[in-house]
Amino acid sequence: MRTTVKLTAAVAAAAALTLGLSACSAPSDTSTSSSSKKGKDADSAAKLVVAASPTPHGDILNFVRDNLAAKAGLKLEVKEFNDYVLPNTATQNGEVDANFFQHKPYLDDFNKKNKTDIVPVVNVEIEPLGLYSKKGKKVADLGSGSTIAVPNDATNEGRALKLLADNGVIKLKDGVGAAAKLSDVADDKGVKFTELEAAQIPSRLDDVDAAVINGNFAISAKLSPAKDAIALEKAEGNPYANFLAVKKGNEKDPRIEKLAKLLNSDEVKKFITEKFSNGAVIPAFGPVAS
């Protein structure tokens, strides 16, 4: 029988919420956001404010701001958030112009649940999901009685379960892939699941036998996917590329078009490849698949 332990990490989540709210409530910069000026009517000289997770999204945007934006005639401001909700709500309500932190399955799920209309603009990079452990050196060390932490949001949890199934830790029902839910686990092989907010999992790695950690949070926790992960998601054919996103109707904002071009430039490709040489982040340029 599968055993599921549900943890909320309330204090940490509250801290993240406070940080996010303070980040998106700056008085004057966002009041002139182009979210109130749609498409090509937006002021191309106005500052573009983009919400992002600190690593690697903030790192990439800061590189663009410091090295490429001025030459392209773009005034770029980066606001960093430490959760997966506030960047979208701030984009929807116009407190920021765009965001860069998520993949398509997550955005589709978010839009459906929150009745928002945020759309992707251009793919930038992929962060392979990894399985990490401080108590075992290989997947075979996990078995009956092992506790494994997985992200508690629908898309990343399904992705985590697929990674575990692909590596023989569990078995999913026939035909179930990355959209898997805990109820789709056909054989848990005695493994116990601990559901946590994705951002909190690295800090709880000592408390479990293993944990599935998103690439950006692995980086922040000083984990090297290439060296430290006992199982790593394949990048080839991966549908989880992270992209620049805006509220629907703002895709043709000239500032967004400039940023999209810069994010898919040779300079950014070189920056990603060199800064994240541990394989934690891989360039994945181009249009977002529907």
Side-chain angles (χ1 to χ4, degrees), residues 131-148 164 167-170 188-191 208-212 230-231:
L131 177 64
Y132 299 83
S133 176
K134 290 187 176 181
K135 299 177 182 178
K137 295 183 178 180
K138 54 186 182 298
V139 174
D141 292 332
L142 301 174
S144 181
S146 295
T147 302
I148 301 177
L164 294 174
N167 286 275
V169 180
I170 61 173
D188 61 23
K189 300 186 180 181
V191 167
V208 294
D209 294 298
V212 180
I230 60 175

Side-chain angles (χ1 to χ4, degrees), residues 1 18 24 33 44 50 56 93 114 143 168 178 213 233-234:
M1 175 179 284
T18 301
C24 68
S33 165
S44 61
V50 183
N93 65 28
N114 295 278
I213 301 176
E233 192 178 45
K234 295 179 180 179

Side-chain angles (χ1 to χ4, degrees), residues 15-78:
L17 179 62
T18 301
L19 175 61
L21 287 173
S22 65
C24 68
S25 60
S28 59
D29 287 347
T30 56
S31 62
T32 56
S33 165
S34 72
S35 294
S36 60
K37 303 176 181 180
K38 295 208 170 181
K40 292 193 177 291
D41 293 330
D43 182 359
S44 61
K47 182 184 294 183
L48 182 71
V49 184
V50 183
S53 299
T55 301
H57 313 89
D59 296 328
I60 295 169
L61 287 170
N62 288 333
F63 171 79
V64 171
R65 180 196 63 201
D66 297 341
N67 297 277
L68 307 175
K71 186 176 180 179
L74 178 66
K75 296 179 182 178
L76 179 63
E77 179 179 344
V78 183

Side-chain angles (χ1 to χ4, degrees), residues 224-241:
S224 169
K227 295 180 181 179
D228 299 325
I230 60 175
L232 193 62
E233 192 178 45
K234 295 179 180 179
E236 186 176 352
N238 193 314
Y240 294 97

Side-chain angles (χ1 to χ4, degrees), residues 50-64 76 78-81 83-84 99-103 124-127 214-217 219-220 240-244 259 263 268 271-272 275-276 281:
V50 183
S53 299
T55 301
H57 313 89
D59 296 328
I60 295 169
L61 287 170
N62 288 333
F63 171 79
V64 171
L76 179 63
V78 183
K79 287 189 177 292
E80 295 186 348
F81 292 76
D83 73 21
Y84 283 169
N99 66 58
F100 173 35
F101 77 101
Q102 63 193 324
H103 50 61
V124 181
E125 48 81 19
I126 287 174
E127 303 150 33
N214 292 69
N216 58 318
F217 295 129
I219 299 167
S220 299
Y240 294 97
N242 284 198
F243 48 68
L244 178 69
L259 179 57
L263 286 171
V268 167
F271 171 77
I272 294 173
K275 182 172 180 61
F276 304 104
V281 183

